[in-house]
Amino acid sequence: MNVPHAFSRLIPARLRPPPRSGDVFERHNPPGLDLSHNTVLYLEDITVSFDGFRALNKLTLYVEAGELRCIIGPNGAGKTTMMDVITGKTRPDSGTAWFGQTIDLLGMSEPQIAQAGIGRKFQKPTVFEQHTVFENLELAMAGDKSVWKMLFAKLSPAQLLRIDEVLETIGLKEHRGALAGVLSHGQKQWLEIGMLLMQEPQLLLVDEPVAGMTPQETERTAELLLSLAGKHSVVVVEHDMDFVRSIARQVTVLHEGSVLAEGTIDEVQNDPKVVEVYLGEPRC
Amino acid sequence: MTFMERLLAWRNERGAFGFYAVLLATAVLVPLLNLAVPEGSALHMSTYTVTLVGKYMSYAILAVAVDLIWGYCGILSLGHAAFFALGGYAMGMYLMRQIGTRGVYGNAEMPDFMVFLNWSELPWYWQGFDMFWFAAIMVLLAPGLLAYVFGWLAFRSRVTGVYLSIITQALTYALLLAFFRNEMGFGGNNGLTDFKEILGFDLKAPGTRMALFLATALALGLAFAAGRMITRSRLGRVVQAVRDAESRTRFIGYRVESYKLWLFVFSAMLAGVAGALYVPQVGIINPGEFNPINSIEVVIWVAVGGRGTLYGAVLGAVVVNYAKTWFTTVLPDIWLYALGTLFVVVTLFLPQGLVGLFAKLKLRRGAA
Ligand SMILES: Nc1ncnc2c1ncn2[C@@H]1O[C@H](COP(=O)(O)OP(=O)(O)OP(=O)(O)O)[C@@H](O)[C@H]1O
Ligand SMILES: [Mg+2]
C-alpha cells in the first residue's frame, strides 16, 4: 500500500481541483458518495500478484461520473481481477482505490462496498438458481439489509412496482415465478442485469454482458446500458468489438495488468501498440 | 387474500399441514389413551410409551434446529447435540436444586455429589437455579451464548464446509471432556439424576408426565411455526441464497456473517429448549449427551427425513428414533451398523430423504 506515487502525479487526482466545466450531475447519491470532482472511481497504482504473477501491474484508471466506459483487452489482461479489487473480492498488494472523493474501497468488505453503491455483474452469470426470478430481484433490491429488518420485511407496493418494472425491462415478465436455474444462458445474463438494476448502484461493473446472447439480445443490452449511462456510471468489459463500438465513447485497453491505451474506439483501434498486442490476435 | 385463496394456498403446503394435523392428533389421542382408557384395555397407552413419544418429540425439535442451520443455510453443524445437552444441564440443575433435603445427605442447598466431594458451599454458577424462571432463561442463554461466541469467531474468519463441521465436532468433544470432570461441578460422569419434582409436581406421577408430554408437543408446534416463519420470510430467502451462493450474496450487499450468526444462535437456543424438555422426561442428563456421535445422529435424522423441509426433519427424527428403539431392544449390537448403512443409502439414493421419495413416487403415479 505504501508504494510511492509516480512523480508526475504528486497530487493524487482525487485531491486536484474540480474540473471547471459546468458538468454537474443531479442524482441521488448514497450517503458519503462525494462526486464533487466529477470522478466516481479512482484506481491508482493497483498491483495484484498471484504467486508472483502480476495480474495487475500498477494499474491506474479513472472513471468519470455518468460515464460509460468500455474496457477491452486480451484474455488474462486483468479485467476481471480489476473488478475483483473494486468490489472487495481481492485485496491488492499495493495501490489505492477510491469511490468518489471520500470512500476508501480498500478498507471495506464486499457487502459494505455493495451497499455504498457499486454493483457488479459477473462474467459467469451467477443467479440464485433455487430462487424464482422474482425472488432473485427481491434479494438484490436496494435497501436496509440487516438481519432483523429482513425477518419482518414486507414488500411495499412501490417495491413491488419496481420489481415489475425491472421484470419488464429485462423481458422476463412471463418467467416471474420460474426458478432461475431453468432459464437459458442469455436469460440468466438478463436476470443478472436486472439484479444490478434493483441494487440501484451509482457505479455498475458489467463483465462480459453479451457473451452467449443472440444479436437481438445484444442490441437490447446495448440500448439498456446506454440508457443507464448519465444517471449512473457504467464500466463494461467486453470482447465483442461490434458491441463495444455500438456503446462506447471512451475505451481503455488493458494489457498484462496495466493500461496500454485509452481513447475513442477509433483512436484505440489505430494505435500500433494495441494492434500489436490485441487486435492482431485471432480472437478478436 | 380471500378465504378460498387461503384454502388453495394450503394445498401447496401439504407437508406443513400434515405435520400440524398429526401433531394435533397425537396431542389429543395420547392423553385419551393414557388417562381415559382403563389400564386393562388393549387400547391403553402406558406412561412409558407416553414418555417415549415425548422424547421423540424433543428430538424432533432438535432436528428442526439442525435443519434450519444445515438444510436452509448450508452450515453442517456436527455439534448441535452440545447445545441440546447444555439446555438439558440447565434444566437438570434446576431439578437438582428442587431435590432439597430429600437427597441422600439431606443438604438443603447442595446436590449430593457436591457433599460427596466435600465442597463447602454451592459454586457461583449454581446460584439462582433454584428458581424455575432463572433456569428457563439459562436454557436459552447458555447454548445461545456459546453459539454466539463460537459462531462469531468461525463465521467472521469465513470458516466453512468441512472445516466448520470438524470444529463443531471438536467443540462438543471438548465439552464432553470438561463435563466428565468432577471438579467442573456438574456431577462428573454420573451427570445429574434422581430428580424428584418439577415446579412442585412429582416427576413420577402420570399427570406430571402427561403435562411434560403436552408441553413438548406445544414446544414442537411452536418451533415448527417459528421455523416456517423464518424460512418463509425475506430473511429465509437470504439465508437460502447464502447456502446456494455465499459470495454472490455478499456482492449484493448482505453481511453474510451476521445472517449465519443470527440463525446459528437461534438454532442453538432451539436445541437448548429441546434438551430442557428431554431431561425431565428421561430423568437424567450426563456427559454422554455431548458425545460427538450424537450430533452426527441428528444430522442423519434430518438427512433421512429430507433436509430443507421442516416436516422432513421431524419425520426423520421420529422414524430413525423409532427404529433405534426397536433395534436396541431386539438387536442392540447392530444398531450403529444399521444407522451407518441407512446414512449411506440415503446419501446415495435419496438425496431429498423420505420426503423426496414420496414426491418421486407421487410423480411416477401421476405419470403412469
Ligand atoms: N485467483 C487467482 N489465482 C491465480 N491466478 C489468477 C487468479 N485470478 C486470476 N488469475 C490470473 O490473473 C490473470 C488475469 O485474470 P483475469 O481473470 O483478470 O483476466 P481477464 O482480463 O478477465 O480475462 P478474460 O478475458 O479471459 O476474462 C490471468 O492470467 C489469470 O490466470
Ligand atoms: Mg474476465
Side-chain angles (χ1 to χ4, degrees), chain B residues 276-312:
Chain B
L277 289 162
Y278 170 85
V279 166
Q281 299 190 77
V282 300
I284 181 168
I285 173 84
N286 63 28
E289 297 294 341
F290 286 107
N291 193 330
I293 294 288
N294 285 23
S295 294
I296 295 176
E297 271 192 43
V298 186
V299 167
I300 297 179
W301 307 341
V302 176
V304 167
R307 71 183 272 220
T309 53
L310 294 172
Y311 59 92

Tab-separated table of all heavy atoms in Angstrom, chain B residues 276-312:
chain	number	residue	atom	x	y	z
B	276	ALA	N	-33.916	-29.219	27.326
B	276	ALA	CA	-34.578	-28.929	28.601
B	276	ALA	C	-35.872	-29.729	28.744
B	276	ALA	O	-36.279	-30.074	29.850
B	276	ALA	CB	-34.869	-27.437	28.704
B	277	LEU	N	-36.543	-30.020	27.640
B	277	LEU	CA	-37.769	-30.814	27.707
B	277	LEU	C	-37.454	-32.304	27.814
B	277	LEU	O	-38.232	-33.084	28.359
B	277	LEU	CB	-38.628	-30.550	26.461
B	277	LEU	CG	-39.258	-29.156	26.431
B	277	LEU	CD1	-39.709	-28.803	25.028
B	277	LEU	CD2	-40.422	-29.080	27.409
B	278	TYR	N	-36.319	-32.655	27.278
B	278	TYR	CA	-35.902	-34.061	27.258
B	278	TYR	C	-35.544	-34.548	28.669
B	278	TYR	O	-35.969	-35.616	29.099
B	278	TYR	CB	-34.710	-34.154	26.308
B	278	TYR	CG	-33.935	-35.441	26.286
B	278	TYR	CD1	-34.342	-36.504	25.481
B	278	TYR	CD2	-32.759	-35.575	27.023
B	278	TYR	CE1	-33.599	-37.674	25.433
B	278	TYR	CE2	-32.021	-36.746	26.980
B	278	TYR	CZ	-32.442	-37.792	26.187
B	278	TYR	OH	-31.710	-38.939	26.132
B	279	VAL	N	-34.786	-33.725	29.376
B	279	VAL	CA	-34.216	-34.166	30.655
B	279	VAL	C	-35.265	-34.564	31.709
B	279	VAL	O	-35.154	-35.648	32.286
B	279	VAL	CB	-33.229	-33.106	31.196
B	279	VAL	CG1	-32.875	-33.358	32.648
B	279	VAL	CG2	-31.982	-33.106	30.345
B	280	PRO	N	-36.292	-33.768	31.981
B	280	PRO	CA	-37.253	-34.209	32.996
B	280	PRO	C	-38.008	-35.470	32.575
B	280	PRO	O	-38.485	-36.209	33.435
B	280	PRO	CB	-38.208	-33.020	33.140
B	280	PRO	CG	-37.990	-32.171	31.952
B	280	PRO	CD	-36.600	-32.425	31.483
B	281	GLN	N	-38.095	-35.730	31.286
B	281	GLN	CA	-38.821	-36.926	30.847
B	281	GLN	C	-37.978	-38.177	30.968
B	281	GLN	O	-38.473	-39.230	31.359
B	281	GLN	CB	-39.318	-36.745	29.400
B	281	GLN	CG	-40.265	-35.560	29.287
B	281	GLN	CD	-40.964	-35.486	27.938
B	281	GLN	OE1	-41.903	-36.224	27.680
B	281	GLN	NE2	-40.500	-34.578	27.101
B	282	VAL	N	-36.681	-38.082	30.624
B	282	VAL	CA	-35.847	-39.277	30.749
B	282	VAL	C	-35.226	-39.377	32.138
B	282	VAL	O	-34.720	-40.423	32.516
B	282	VAL	CB	-34.737	-39.336	29.672
B	282	VAL	CG1	-35.335	-39.352	28.280
B	282	VAL	CG2	-33.783	-38.189	29.829
B	283	GLY	N	-35.252	-38.292	32.904
B	283	GLY	CA	-34.813	-38.343	34.295
B	283	GLY	C	-33.324	-38.294	34.519
B	283	GLY	O	-32.863	-38.512	35.648
B	284	ILE	N	-32.550	-38.019	33.496
B	284	ILE	CA	-31.099	-37.945	33.701
B	284	ILE	C	-30.453	-37.111	32.592
B	284	ILE	O	-30.963	-37.066	31.462
B	284	ILE	CB	-30.463	-39.361	33.711
B	284	ILE	CG1	-28.950	-39.287	33.960
B	284	ILE	CG2	-30.740	-40.098	32.403
B	284	ILE	CD1	-28.304	-40.626	34.278
B	285	ILE	N	-29.366	-36.432	32.939
B	285	ILE	CA	-28.515	-35.807	31.916
B	285	ILE	C	-27.078	-36.083	32.337
B	285	ILE	O	-26.704	-35.825	33.475
B	285	ILE	CB	-28.794	-34.295	31.759
B	285	ILE	CG1	-27.793	-33.618	30.815
B	285	ILE	CG2	-28.770	-33.548	33.089
B	285	ILE	CD1	-28.121	-33.723	29.374
B	286	ASN	N	-26.312	-36.656	31.433
B	286	ASN	CA	-24.898	-36.890	31.751
B	286	ASN	C	-24.024	-36.523	30.566
B	286	ASN	O	-24.537	-36.224	29.484
B	286	ASN	CB	-24.680	-38.324	32.234
B	286	ASN	CG	-25.008	-39.345	31.163
B	286	ASN	OD1	-24.894	-39.068	29.970
B	286	ASN	ND2	-25.442	-40.519	31.579
B	287	PRO	N	-22.696	-36.508	30.760
B	287	PRO	CA	-21.817	-36.006	29.691
B	287	PRO	C	-21.944	-36.789	28.388
B	287	PRO	O	-21.569	-36.280	27.327
B	287	PRO	CB	-20.413	-36.169	30.281
B	287	PRO	CG	-20.606	-36.273	31.738
B	287	PRO	CD	-21.937	-36.893	31.963
B	288	GLY	N	-22.470	-38.006	28.460
B	288	GLY	CA	-22.658	-38.800	27.247
B	288	GLY	C	-23.439	-38.050	26.184
B	288	GLY	O	-23.274	-38.294	24.987
B	289	GLU	N	-24.285	-37.114	26.616
B	289	GLU	CA	-25.074	-36.352	25.637
B	289	GLU	C	-24.195	-35.472	24.742
B	289	GLU	O	-24.621	-35.020	23.694
B	289	GLU	CB	-26.118	-35.470	26.343
B	289	GLU	CG	-27.162	-36.249	27.134
B	289	GLU	CD	-28.069	-37.099	26.259
B	289	GLU	OE1	-28.143	-36.828	25.036
B	289	GLU	OE2	-28.676	-38.054	26.782
B	290	PHE	N	-22.971	-35.206	25.216
B	290	PHE	CA	-22.045	-34.396	24.406
B	290	PHE	C	-21.272	-35.250	23.406
B	290	PHE	O	-20.466	-34.728	22.643
B	290	PHE	CB	-21.031	-33.682	25.314
B	290	PHE	CG	-21.595	-32.528	26.081
B	290	PHE	CD1	-21.813	-32.626	27.446
B	290	PHE	CD2	-21.891	-31.333	25.443
B	290	PHE	CE1	-22.322	-31.552	28.165
B	290	PHE	CE2	-22.392	-30.256	26.154
B	290	PHE	CZ	-22.606	-30.370	27.514
B	291	ASN	N	-21.505	-36.558	23.462
B	291	ASN	CA	-20.763	-37.448	22.570
B	291	ASN	C	-20.876	-36.983	21.112
B	291	ASN	O	-21.972	-36.778	20.608
B	291	ASN	CB	-21.332	-38.861	22.714
B	291	ASN	CG	-20.436	-39.898	22.065
B	291	ASN	OD1	-19.745	-39.602	21.089
B	291	ASN	ND2	-20.435	-41.088	22.615
B	292	PRO	N	-19.724	-36.816	20.423
B	292	PRO	CA	-19.772	-36.354	19.029
B	292	PRO	C	-20.715	-37.180	18.149
B	292	PRO	O	-21.327	-36.645	17.220
B	292	PRO	CB	-18.322	-36.501	18.569
B	292	PRO	CG	-17.524	-36.340	19.808
B	292	PRO	CD	-18.344	-36.934	20.915
B	293	ILE	N	-20.835	-38.474	18.465
B	293	ILE	CA	-21.730	-39.338	17.669
B	293	ILE	C	-23.170	-38.808	17.706
B	293	ILE	O	-23.885	-38.861	16.709
B	293	ILE	CB	-21.696	-40.785	18.230
B	293	ILE	CG1	-20.320	-41.410	18.033
B	293	ILE	CG2	-22.768	-41.633	17.570
B	293	ILE	CD1	-19.996	-41.763	16.614
B	294	ASN	N	-23.583	-38.308	18.868
B	294	ASN	CA	-24.966	-37.823	18.987
B	294	ASN	C	-25.270	-36.748	17.957
B	294	ASN	O	-26.329	-36.745	17.336
B	294	ASN	CB	-25.197	-37.236	20.385
B	294	ASN	CG	-25.322	-38.323	21.432
B	294	ASN	OD1	-24.841	-39.430	21.219
B	294	ASN	ND2	-25.951	-38.018	22.539
B	295	SER	N	-24.320	-35.824	17.799
B	295	SER	CA	-24.540	-34.730	16.849
B	295	SER	C	-24.635	-35.267	15.431
B	295	SER	O	-25.415	-34.770	14.616
B	295	SER	CB	-23.397	-33.725	16.932
B	295	SER	OG	-23.403	-33.098	18.179
B	296	ILE	N	-23.826	-36.278	15.152
B	296	ILE	CA	-23.860	-36.858	13.805
B	296	ILE	C	-25.207	-37.538	13.585
B	296	ILE	O	-25.803	-37.441	12.510
B	296	ILE	CB	-22.682	-37.837	13.619
B	296	ILE	CG1	-21.372	-37.054	13.675
B	296	ILE	CG2	-22.817	-38.596	12.303
B	296	ILE	CD1	-20.126	-37.894	13.609
B	297	GLU	N	-25.699	-38.208	14.638
B	297	GLU	CA	-27.004	-38.873	14.518
B	297	GLU	C	-28.100	-37.878	14.138
B	297	GLU	O	-28.946	-38.172	13.298
B	297	GLU	CB	-27.378	-39.567	15.833
B	297	GLU	CG	-26.868	-40.996	15.913
B	297	GLU	CD	-27.478	-41.773	17.066
B	297	GLU	OE1	-28.699	-41.657	17.289
B	297	GLU	OE2	-26.725	-42.479	17.758
B	298	VAL	N	-28.058	-36.715	14.750
B	298	VAL	CA	-29.098	-35.723	14.444
B	298	VAL	C	-29.074	-35.372	12.960
B	298	VAL	O	-30.118	-35.259	12.314
B	298	VAL	CB	-28.898	-34.433	15.277
B	298	VAL	CG1	-30.063	-33.487	15.045
B	298	VAL	CG2	-28.765	-34.757	16.748
B	299	VAL	N	-27.864	-35.208	12.432
B	299	VAL	CA	-27.743	-34.882	11.013
B	299	VAL	C	-28.324	-36.014	10.171
B	299	VAL	O	-28.988	-35.777	9.154
B	299	VAL	CB	-26.262	-34.606	10.666
B	299	VAL	CG1	-26.050	-34.585	9.164
B	299	VAL	CG2	-25.830	-33.286	11.288
B	300	ILE	N	-28.115	-37.246	10.623
B	300	ILE	CA	-28.673	-38.394	9.885
B	300	ILE	C	-30.206	-38.352	9.920
B	300	ILE	O	-30.857	-38.588	8.903
B	300	ILE	CB	-28.119	-39.723	10.436
B	300	ILE	CG1	-26.607	-39.765	10.229
B	300	ILE	CG2	-28.787	-40.909	9.752
B	300	ILE	CD1	-25.927	-41.015	10.744
B	301	TRP	N	-30.781	-38.023	11.076
B	301	TRP	CA	-32.257	-37.912	11.128
B	301	TRP	C	-32.742	-36.969	10.035
B	301	TRP	O	-33.671	-37.266	9.297
B	301	TRP	CB	-32.763	-37.334	12.452
B	301	TRP	CG	-32.292	-38.005	13.697
B	301	TRP	CD1	-31.768	-39.269	13.818
B	301	TRP	CD2	-32.301	-37.449	15.017
B	301	TRP	NE1	-31.451	-39.515	15.122
B	301	TRP	CE2	-31.763	-38.424	15.878
B	301	TRP	CE3	-32.699	-36.229	15.536
B	301	TRP	CZ2	-31.625	-38.197	17.249
B	301	TRP	CZ3	-32.567	-36.009	16.892
B	301	TRP	CH2	-32.034	-36.976	17.742
B	302	VAL	N	-32.075	-35.813	9.993
B	302	VAL	CA	-32.524	-34.775	9.056
B	302	VAL	C	-32.326	-35.244	7.614
B	302	VAL	O	-33.193	-35.062	6.764
B	302	VAL	CB	-31.781	-33.447	9.313
B	302	VAL	CG1	-32.167	-32.414	8.279
B	302	VAL	CG2	-32.075	-32.939	10.719
B	303	ALA	N	-31.184	-35.891	7.362
B	303	ALA	CA	-30.916	-36.372	6.007
B	303	ALA	C	-31.941	-37.427	5.604
B	303	ALA	O	-32.424	-37.434	4.469
B	303	ALA	CB	-29.500	-36.938	5.924
B	304	VAL	N	-32.289	-38.316	6.547
B	304	VAL	CA	-33.248	-39.380	6.246
B	304	VAL	C	-34.626	-38.779	5.970
B	304	VAL	O	-35.309	-39.156	5.016
B	304	VAL	CB	-33.312	-40.401	7.403
B	304	VAL	CG1	-34.512	-41.321	7.242
B	304	VAL	CG2	-32.029	-41.212	7.457
B	305	GLY	N	-35.022	-37.836	6.780
B	305	GLY	CA	-36.346	-37.238	6.592
B	305	GLY	C	-36.401	-36.381	5.342
B	305	GLY	O	-37.360	-36.425	4.585
B	306	GLY	N	-35.366	-35.627	5.118
B	306	GLY	CA	-35.334	-34.732	3.950
B	306	GLY	C	-34.918	-33.346	4.393
B	306	GLY	O	-35.722	-32.598	4.948
B	307	ARG	N	-33.667	-32.994	4.132
B	307	ARG	CA	-33.191	-31.690	4.587
B	307	ARG	C	-33.826	-30.587	3.755
B	307	ARG	O	-34.152	-30.783	2.582
B	307	ARG	CB	-31.662	-31.594	4.531
B	307	ARG	CG	-31.085	-31.513	3.145
B	307	ARG	CD	-29.573	-31.494	3.187
B	307	ARG	NE	-29.065	-30.136	3.319
B	307	ARG	CZ	-27.985	-29.690	2.670
B	307	ARG	NH1	-27.310	-30.473	1.866
B	307	ARG	NH2	-27.575	-28.451	2.836
B	308	GLY	N	-34.005	-29.459	4.410
B	308	GLY	CA	-34.578	-28.327	3.683
B	308	GLY	C	-36.093	-28.322	3.686
B	308	GLY	O	-36.710	-27.471	3.063
B	309	THR	N	-36.700	-29.298	4.374
B	309	THR	CA	-38.137	-29.217	4.654
B	309	THR	C	-38.271	-29.489	6.144
B	309	THR	O	-37.733	-30.482	6.637
B	309	THR	CB	-38.944	-30.286	3.892
B	309	THR	OG1	-38.366	-31.559	4.169
B	309	THR	CG2	-38.948	-30.041	2.406
B	310	LEU	N	-38.960	-28.625	6.841
B	310	LEU	CA	-39.009	-28.784	8.293
B	310	LEU	C	-39.758	-30.056	8.684
B	310	LEU	O	-39.369	-30.756	9.611
B	310	LEU	CB	-39.655	-27.553	8.926
B	310	LEU	CG	-38.838	-26.270	8.775
B	310	LEU	CD1	-39.637	-25.067	9.242
B	310	LEU	CD2	-37.524	-26.351	9.529
B	311	TYR	N	-40.855	-30.368	7.951
B	311	TYR	CA	-41.582	-31.577	8.312
B	311	TYR	C	-40.754	-32.820	8.011
B	311	TYR	O	-40.881	-33.841	8.685
B	311	TYR	CB	-42.962	-31.633	7.639
B	311	TYR	CG	-42.932	-31.589	6.126
B	311	TYR	CD1	-42.896	-32.750	5.388
B	311	TYR	CD2	-42.944	-30.372	5.457
B	311	TYR	CE1	-42.873	-32.708	4.001
B	311	TYR	CE2	-42.920	-30.321	4.074
B	311	TYR	CZ	-42.880	-31.487	3.351
B	311	TYR	OH	-42.847	-31.438	1.976
B	312	GLY	N	-39.882	-32.718	7.019
B	312	GLY	CA	-38.974	-33.828	6.733
B	312	GLY	C	-38.058	-34.092	7.919
B	312	GLY	O	-37.824	-35.246	8.298
